[in-house]
Amino acid sequence: MTSIKKTDQEKEFEFASQWQLIWRSFRQHRAAMICGIIIGVMYLSAIFAPFVAPYDPQYRHRGFVYAPPQRVHFSGDAGFSIRPHVYRLTSELDMDTFERRYAVDTDVSYPLYFLVRGQPYKLWGLFRTDIRLFGTSEGGHVFLFGTDGLGRDLFTRVIHGGTISMSIGLVGVFFSFVFGLMFGGVSGYFGGKVDEAIQRMIEILRSFPRIPLWMAFSAALPGDWSPIRIYFSITLILSLVGWTELARVTRGKVLSLKNEDFVMAARISGTSEFVIIARHLIPSFISHIIAAITLAIPQMILAETALSFLGVGLRPPVVSWGVLLQTAQNVHTVAMAPWLMIPGVFVIIYVMAFNFLGDGFRDAADPYAN
Amino acid sequence: MVTAKGLPWILRVNDLYVEFWTHDGVARPVNGLTLQVGKGQSVGVVGESGCGKSVTALSVLRILPKAARISGGKIELQLRDGSTRDLTQLSTNSNEMRRIRGGEIAMIFQEPMTAFSPVHTIGNQLCEAILLHTDCDEKEAKERSVESLRSVGIPEPHVRIDEYPFQFSGGMRQRAMIAMALVCNPRILIADEPTTALDVTVQAQVLQLIKQMQSQIGLALYLITHDLGVIAQMVDYVYVMYLGCIVEEGGVDDIFETPLHPYTRDLMRSIPTVSGERKPLSTIGGVVPNAYSIPSGCSFHTRCKDMQGEVCRSERPAPRRFGESHRVSCVLYEDAAR
Amino acid sequence: MARFVFRRLLTLIPTLLVISIISFIVIQLPPGDWLSTYVMQLAQSGTLVDQAELLALERRYAMGQPMHIQYFRWISRVVRGDFGMSFEYGQPVRELIQERLLLTVFISFCSLIFSWVVAFPIGIYSAVKQHSMGDYAATFVGFLGLSTPNFMIALVLMYVAMQHFGLSVGGLFSPEYVRAPWSAARFFDMLKNLWLPVIIVGTSGTATLIRVLRNNLLDELQKQYVVTARAKGVHAVRLTLKYPVRMALIPFVSVAGWQLPELVSGEMITAVVLSLPTTGPLLLSALLAQDMYLAGGFILLLAVLMVIGTLLSDILLALVDPRIRYE
Ligand SMILES: Nc1ncnc2c1ncn2[C@@H]1O[C@H](COP(=O)(O)OP(=O)(O)OP(=O)(O)O)[C@@H](O)[C@H]1O
Ligand SMILES: [Mg+2]
């Protein structure tokens, strides 16, 4: 009702603090903060995957097919020790069922060391080294998540799979972002017939069940394409259907920017247009887009996982979480080696963290909402 | 006890305190507020935005938001049978309290646009009130609703009653709102800025309607507004409110002719001039302090043009009497009081 | 209302057109034309290819003609209910698809009902008791359901059923009914096996619905009309149900509308894991074998069903929201 005249200084303060307001309101979202940290750690380990993983992702450990996860112990016969160790795994072939039986041999223990020399690798295709984050002493094995049907260390593969899966989220969202910004921006800016047409297109795309469509497009990718080509095609396919939400947000924002009340208000009170745009519109626009992007990333991962799981997404030897889960496709395998589901746990953590983070961003993007 | 004008009182708020517990701390929008409404009397409460007018009204009906609680004081209501109830002692959702709401005290709100549920018909929302407070059956309730719509001047009420709020204009909606408030014959009507959201011409009509209804059924009116023009036109007794307490009260002539409190005097300067131009209330320097940090002493001292120094900062002035019904809480009148 | 439905029906025409074009593109996607693939397959399996039959097929599908002619040939047959032949199975696509599609729709529909029934009370509770332990728990479980791929839920539930209850789950019918013709007994047998897929498919949708309902209800609870109703003396419980919950139902219904495609997507993946006799497994194998008329038929019909579903939910929306009806 009562319009309170503010001094210029006060006005200045309010505009300048838009980002601070967003930040402050975001920080109140404790869950979102924690999830941000979790995501940070996951991406770090993806970037340094060969270093974090103790083995080569394709290396087959002879005699360790479907080995169960090993527990890391801190205390043994000698009592508690700071240095963790694992016990030796022994296996024997059951001659009736031809299944391998594993037993823990507590007599032999292998201590775990940080920064040990292991199999050599090339970090980012640049540095040749053989230093790994952790490993056992000579002769021992450490399978934190067990091994798969070919004796490959699952922990290693989960870390490497994360690199692919998590980057698909980013790359796919980048594509969607480009499409979404383009279509949404055009739609909101020009309005009228163009807007109508684009809106109908979005509606149709949304009414399509996505999985069959994705399946159809991915299944049509030639089998002889290189993994990197398949990778980009899959991300492109995912974002072809996934851009609609971003377009919606962009359109809404552009529309409201065109005739926003506070633009009028600021104009009337004599603030220059540039100041309005720089101080107020851009933060509000960007923060909404960031929130939408954050919520779109987990959709990408879930889609990739589903496609790869069905065998029409990424294909081995590429390692992604979806590809890893493909080995857990039937329940009998899962019953025999439940640890094969561990990559799924990572999918869940990742997706959930992004959802919480996105929620936090979205709430924070509207610092005036409450 | 009788009110200043010699009428027996019907609603008496005594030393009321309300707190909001929020993320940002504790807000205290009402701080030791005392006022009375006499039977059939029209009382106005005026003050700047954010000084706790609405919160007071909501406390009387015990419909404060969840975050709020009444932390002190009494709200006494004289029931039809002559007995007295302290509303602060009733639980918000008790049968008795619900009978009082709508039955004894009704309320209309500032925003006729949002005050009705958009997906229920006007008739549905009107009948609900009747069915709650009387033992009519649905048919009678509907008849009474049509009747009440007619009485507030809505044309073709039997048709409009089955329409949705979005099919009504703003003025119509406010009329329907008044009909809904009065349909159960309450004895007090709290009107929280009933015309602020309306066009000027419609404003006058709605005020006229309220006045007419009031005289028809002998209703007490508790009118909340920013607009001193409305006060002058509608009420005979005025409470001037600042940061949750009454700083000055008196008959409408006393207040307009001899405003005493510096705050009231500042408010008076914002009355519409002859040319009809209306200046906002905020010609008073500075901003209303927020309810999270109420200034000590006389809470107006931070903006007062007649600040007397340390006493204003440290001591809360008590109300002093001037004449028959004029009271003011300000150290300026410490000695002059009669 | 009639006008609303009519206008809404008009908008279907361009939608259906685009859908048919997309489906046609899907059919044309694999490199090479399917006829040569077909001939090659036949040759590999040692069957002699009858030249006359080949010519007839070529004419029928307008092979070698420009794309738009092929499209019109195809769509005019589709309109008459002829979706072409499956080369993998040597049967008309329609026969193969029919029952599976119906089962998919049935399971998706049951899942929708399931998620409504679960989400509704939880959403209301969560909003009314905001910041309570129950609210936090519901929010967390909701996020968990949202973040877990359908097939993971399927695998875990199957695993639990097998390890802890000794149940062997999977499929939709008990062995004796798998090949039996439809009968009341077969239907009831299906209902007995239905719970698992319905829970699995419904879970992620439930999470979304809970969040939507909770957030909207929280908004609505702040609205002025709630205060008005309280001022009338309406009882708190009755008030919440009559006004804010009723209002929050509107976004709830519209969300349910565009959730249909997701439900069907979820059903397909779940069906692969549980090996249900529904769309998922057959579509997948058709795509992998490049049996494109079969795949294209599935995709076209799924999309059409979705459009019908959205139409129904729009009508439902107009029923719950008078503002749309009187627009
Ligand atoms: N829901 C709430 N949560 C927290 N604080 C509140 C809430 N409602 C009101 N308040 C506090 O109470 C103070 C007074 O509010 P109130 O609505 O009574 O003012 P008002 O005098 O009616 O103003 P207006 O003229 O703008 O209606 C506000 O400044 C605010 O600090
Ligand atoms: Mg108010």
Side-chain angles (χ1 to χ4, degrees):
Chain A
M1 261 356 65
T2 320
S3 62
I4 292 149
K5 265 220 169 282
K6 294 196 183 86
T7 62
D8 279 352
Q9 208 180 348
E10 275 170 329
K11 238 180 262 160
E12 187 70 11
F13 171 74
E14 265 169 40
F15 282 135
S17 64
Q18 170 92 358
W19 281 119
Q20 287 161 11
L21 269 178
I22 292 176
W23 173 237
R24 211 188 78 174
S25 135
F26 175 70
R27 267 203 330 211
Q28 284 183 353
H29 242 268
R30 206 162 305 143
M33 283 293 278
I34 295 172
C35 289
I37 294 169
I38 293 177
I39 289 168
V41 170
M42 288 178 97
Y43 270 102
L44 261 185
S45 76
I47 291 170
F48 293 98
F51 168 69
V52 176
Y55 302 106
D56 186 90
Q58 306 297 349
Y59 183 79
R60 301 173 182 190
H61 297 268
R62 284 160 145 262
F64 287 101
V65 170
Y66 288 132
Q70 279 170 296
R71 270 188 58 193
V72 175
H73 296 266
F74 282 93
S75 55
D77 298 337
F80 180 84
S81 79
I82 283 289
R83 163 112 14 240
H85 60 266
V86 290
Y87 290 117
R88 189 168 73 145
L89 265 186
T90 58
S91 70
E92 65 182 73
L93 207 54
D94 183 325
M95 288 324 261
D96 294 331
T97 58
F98 290 101
E99 270 174 22
R100 225 167 241 284
R101 291 255 173 75
Y102 288 92
V104 179
D105 175 6
T106 47
D107 292 339
V108 187
S109 74
Y110 302 106
L112 291 177
Y113 297 100
F114 278 112
L115 303 178
V116 295
R117 289 185 181 280
Q119 297 163 335
Y121 61 93
K122 237 178 164 182
L123 190 63
W124 307 325
L126 290 177
F127 312 107
R128 182 167 289 286
T129 172
D130 59 357
I131 305 281
R132 305 260 176 179
L133 179 62
F134 69 98
T136 55
S137 54
E138 204 62 33
H141 296 280
V142 53
F143 304 127
L144 292 181
F145 296 166
T147 64
D148 66 6
L150 294 173
R152 296 175 295 198
D153 176 38
L154 196 58
F155 178 78
T156 298
R157 290 172 70 76
V158 166
I159 297 292
H160 280 269
T163 315
I164 299 290
S165 285
M166 294 198 287
S167 70
I168 280 206
L170 294 188
V171 177
V173 159
F174 175 75
F175 287 140
S176 315
F177 175 63
V178 172
F179 290 132
L181 213 57
M182 209 162 67
F183 284 110
V186 165
S187 192
Y189 190 79
F190 291 106
K193 285 250 155 47
V194 183
D195 182 31
E196 185 90 354
I198 293 181
Q199 288 312 305
R200 292 225 55 84
M201 190 160 89
I202 290 180
E203 214 171 284
I204 292 169
L205 269 181
R206 288 188 77 131
S207 72
F208 248 102
R210 295 177 175 209
I211 285 290
L213 207 57
W214 276 327
M215 274 161 63
F217 283 113
S218 338
L221 297 178
D224 52 1
W225 277 13
S226 68
I228 190 86
R229 223 166 142 189
I230 296 268
Y231 170 92
F232 277 108
S233 313
I234 295 274
T235 23
L236 203 59
I237 288 169
L238 293 183
S239 44
L240 269 182
V241 186
W243 57 270
T244 52
E245 177 59 20
L246 275 165
R248 197 185 61 78
V249 175
T250 311
R251 171 175 177 270
K253 270 285 129 190
V254 170
L255 272 184
S256 69
L257 293 196
K258 267 177 32 182
N259 41 15
E260 188 82 74
D261 281 349
F262 61 76
V263 181
M264 296 299 270
R267 254 185 224 141
I268 290 164
S269 73
T271 318
S272 90
E273 206 141 318
F274 173 75
V275 173
I276 310 169
I277 292 176
R279 290 273 168 75
H280 214 120
L281 299 195
I282 293 195
S284 128
F285 187 76
I286 293 183
S287 51
H288 275 97
I289 296 289
I290 289 179
I293 286 181
T294 315
L295 290 169
I297 290 175
Q299 293 316 106
M300 290 285 159
I301 295 272
L302 282 178
E304 183 274 324
T305 313
L307 286 185
S308 302
F309 176 78
L310 292 175
V312 289
L314 300 175
R315 298 158 200 180
V318 172
V319 191
S320 80
W321 287 336
V323 171
L324 291 179
L325 283 168
Q326 210 188 336
T327 58
Q329 218 177 47
N330 80 58
V331 72
H332 297 286
T333 319
V334 173
M336 192 179 65
W339 55 91
L340 291 180
M341 304 276 279
I342 290 177
V345 176
F346 277 75
V347 173
I348 295 174
I349 294 176
Y350 178 84
V351 171
M352 197 138 115
F354 258 105
N355 275 330
F356 271 112
L357 188 70
D359 256 25
F361 279 152
R362 193 172 46 194
D363 291 353
D366 268 324
Y368 300 119
N370 293 322
Chain B
M1 193 190 138
V2 292
T3 58
K5 270 216 145 176
L7 297 162
W9 64 271
I10 178 166
L11 175 72
R12 197 159 69 169
V13 177
N14 205 345
D15 203 21
L16 183 73
Y17 287 82
V18 177
E19 298 173 346
F20 277 86
W21 292 70
T22 66
H23 286 303
D24 304 324
V26 186
R28 301 179 205 280
V30 179
N31 298 290
L33 176 132
T34 301
L35 59 76
Q36 307 188 2
V37 181
K39 269 200 181 107
Q41 190 188 21
S42 310
V43 164
V45 175
V46 66
E48 279 169 293
S49 194
C51 65
K53 304 184 297 292
S54 300
V55 170
T56 310
L58 296 180
S59 335
V60 169
L61 280 176
R62 302 296 313 279
I63 52 175
L64 284 167
K66 260 195 203 141
R69 74 188 183 100
I70 295 177
S71 52
K74 276 200 236 176
I75 300 170
E76 285 169 303
L77 177 74
Q78 196 116 78
L79 299 179
R80 276 178 220 268
D81 60 16
S83 63
T84 308
R85 277 281 175 292
D86 182 359
L87 301 187
T88 59
Q89 299 305 313
L90 297 179
S91 96
T92 32
N93 215 17
S94 64
N95 286 340
E96 178 155 26
M97 197 59 234
R98 289 193 295 112
R99 259 201 306 281
I100 290 171
R101 279 183 217 133
E104 299 273 349
I105 312 174
M107 184 162 175
I108 57 181
F109 300 91
Q110 176 178 345
E111 291 286 338
M113 291 319 204
T114 52
F116 281 105
S117 153
V119 296
H120 295 87
T121 59
I122 294 281
N124 179 328
Q125 298 179 57
L126 263 161
C127 290
E128 183 178 40
I130 302 175
L131 293 172
L132 271 171
H133 294 290
T134 61
D135 28 58
C136 293
D137 60 23
E138 301 225 349
K139 199 162 146 276
E140 286 167 339
K142 185 147 186 189
E143 279 161 18
R144 267 180 80 169
S145 309
V146 172
E147 224 22 73
S148 71
L149 282 184
R150 194 192 311 281
S151 71
V152 294
I154 288 183
E156 299 190 41
H158 52 281
V159 180
R160 310 297 313 244
I161 196 158
D162 290 322
E163 290 187 356
Y164 289 92
F166 60 87
Q167 293 166 298
F168 278 50
S169 70
M172 284 293 184
R173 255 181 256 188
Q174 198 58 299
R175 282 167 187 273
M177 188 78 198
I178 293 170
M180 186 161 85
L182 299 185
V183 77
C184 296
N185 297 323
R187 300 196 306 153
I188 306 175
L189 176 66
I190 303 179
D192 189 353
E193 306 186 19
T195 56
T196 323
L198 302 176
D199 291 344
V200 184
T201 45
V202 185
Q203 273 187 16
Q205 293 168 7
V206 169
L207 289 177
Q208 187 57 39
L209 175 69
I210 293 179
K211 217 166 177 179
Q212 173 199 336
M213 301 302 284
Q214 195 204 349
S215 60
Q216 263 173 30
I217 51 180
L219 175 82
L221 177 68
Y222 178 124
L223 180 73
I224 297 171
T225 182
H226 291 133
D227 193 333
L228 286 163
V230 172
I231 289 281
Q233 185 189 341
M234 296 289 292
V235 306
D236 21 69
Y237 198 81
V238 184
Y239 290 94
V240 181
M241 188 163 170
Y242 186 72
L243 289 183
C245 19
I246 300 299
V247 292
E248 182 167 359
E249 58 173 280
V252 70
D253 298 336
D254 292 336
I255 297 289
F256 276 78
E257 276 154 29
T258 50
L260 294 174
H261 199 281
Y263 180 61
T264 320
R265 294 207 298 246
D266 281 347
L267 285 182
M268 286 302 157
R269 287 192 206 107
S270 65
I271 293 191
T273 54
V274 188
S275 61
E277 182 202 347
R278 202 167 282 205
K279 282 182 280 173
L281 283 186
S282 60
T283 42
I284 308 170
V287 187
V288 192
N290 70 35
Y292 292 96
S293 49
I294 303 284
S296 60
C298 167
S299 50
F300 189 59
H301 80 253
T302 52
R303 299 163 75 198
C304 185
K305 298 196 185 81
D306 301 310
M307 239 274 269
Q308 297 297 301
E310 192 49 39
V311 312
C312 292
R313 246 177 259 128
S314 57
E315 264 173 62
R316 189 165 167 173
R320 321 251 158 215
R321 259 180 103 108
F322 277 83
E324 200 186 331
S325 63
H326 197 164
R327 285 197 187 92
V328 63
S329 311
C330 179
V331 285
L332 284 179
Y333 307 98
E334 197 93 302
D335 311 317
R338 278 171 263 165
Chain C
M1 190 69 198
R3 254 188 50 211
F4 171 81
V5 175
F6 179 71
R7 263 193 326 192
R8 189 64 186 72
L9 280 173
L10 275 187
T11 65
L12 283 190
I13 296 170
T15 311
L16 289 175
L17 194 71
V18 174
I19 284 175
S20 68
I21 292 175
I22 294 182
S23 308
F24 185 68
I25 293 176
V26 166
I27 293 179
Q28 300 295 332
L29 267 181
D33 71 288
W34 55 266
L35 201 55
S36 23
T37 325
Y38 178 51
V39 173
M40 222 163 66
Q41 268 176 7
L42 286 182
Q44 267 170 5
S45 62
T47 326
L48 270 184
V49 186
D50 181 356
Q51 282 303 318
E53 189 196 341
L54 204 63
L55 271 178
L57 276 174
E58 221 164 81
R59 188 132 12 90
R60 202 171 147 190
Y61 292 104
M63 282 295 153
Q65 308 250 20
M67 271 304 163
H68 62 275
I69 303 222
Q70 289 194 35
Y71 169 75
F72 280 116
R73 236 356 121 66
W74 173 75
I75 194 72
S76 54
R77 271 181 294 109
V78 162
V79 173
R80 275 177 272 131
D82 173 9
F83 291 87
M85 290 286 280
S86 155
F87 299 113
E88 200 58 2
Y89 294 86
Q91 277 180 32
V93 165
R94 191 175 152 173
E95 280 174 25
L96 285 166
I97 286 183
Q98 232 165 25
E99 184 180 309
R100 287 177 175 259
L101 213 53
L102 278 180
L103 281 175
T104 291
V105 170
F106 184 68
I107 293 179
S108 305
F109 181 73
C110 292
S111 308
L112 185 70
I113 302 292
F114 166 81
S115 58
W116 277 37
V117 168
V118 175
F120 204 70
I122 298 184
I124 294 177
Y125 175 87
S126 240
V128 174
K129 295 253 174 328
Q130 196 194 5
H131 301 313
S132 67
M133 275 324 279
D135 175 32
Y136 288 132
T139 305
F140 182 77
V141 173
F143 268 103
L144 193 65
L146 203 65
S147 314
T148 313
N150 270 318
F151 62 83
M152 283 279 289
I153 303 178
L155 282 171
V156 169
L157 283 185
M158 277 171 93
Y159 177 69
V160 170
M162 206 163 93
Q163 292 287 315
H164 296 277
F165 300 103
L167 293 172
S168 138
V169 284
L172 209 47
F173 301 101
S174 312
E176 64 268 31
Y177 287 110
V178 169
R179 302 213 166 272
W182 277 105
S183 65
R186 188 173 193 242
F187 184 72
F188 283 116
D189 178 61
M190 179 179 78
L191 290 188
K192 257 188 286 172
N193 290 300
L194 207 59
W195 61 272
L196 189 65
V198 165
I199 291 178
I200 294 166
V201 178
T203 309
S204 63
T206 310
T208 314
L209 283 178
I210 291 178
R211 281 176 67 198
V212 168
L213 186 60
R214 174 179 180 274
N215 292 346
N216 280 293
L217 196 50
L218 282 176
D219 274 357
E220 295 298 331
L221 284 168
Q222 313 278 329
K223 294 270 172 78
Q224 179 66 49
Y225 65 80
V226 175
V227 183
T228 314
R230 288 185 77 190
K232 271 194 285 190
V234 186
H235 191 276
V237 174
R238 208 190 117 81
L239 186 152
T240 309
L241 291 178
K242 177 169 175 187
Y243 295 103
V245 168
R246 174 72 177 65
M247 286 295 287
L249 202 62
I250 294 168
F252 193 73
V253 167
S254 70
V255 167
W258 51 256
Q259 255 193 347
L260 283 177
E262 316 246 308
L263 276 180
V264 169
S265 291
E267 194 278 338
M268 303 190 61
I269 299 178
T270 310
V272 171
V273 179
L274 295 182
S275 46
L276 305 179
T278 63
T279 314
L282 190 59
L283 175 59
L284 183 61
S285 73
L287 284 170
L288 290 175
Q290 307 214 329
D291 189 352
M292 291 324 283
Y293 279 97
L294 183 54
F298 265 131
I299 288 185
L300 178 68
L301 282 182
L302 279 173
V304 170
L305 282 174
M306 286 312 99
V307 169
I308 295 173
T310 333
L311 175 72
L312 290 181
S313 93
D314 275 3
I315 292 175
L316 189 60
L317 195 61
L319 283 179
V320 293
D321 190 349
R323 287 167 299 183
I324 296 179
R325 235 179 304 152
Y326 286 90
E327 202 175 65

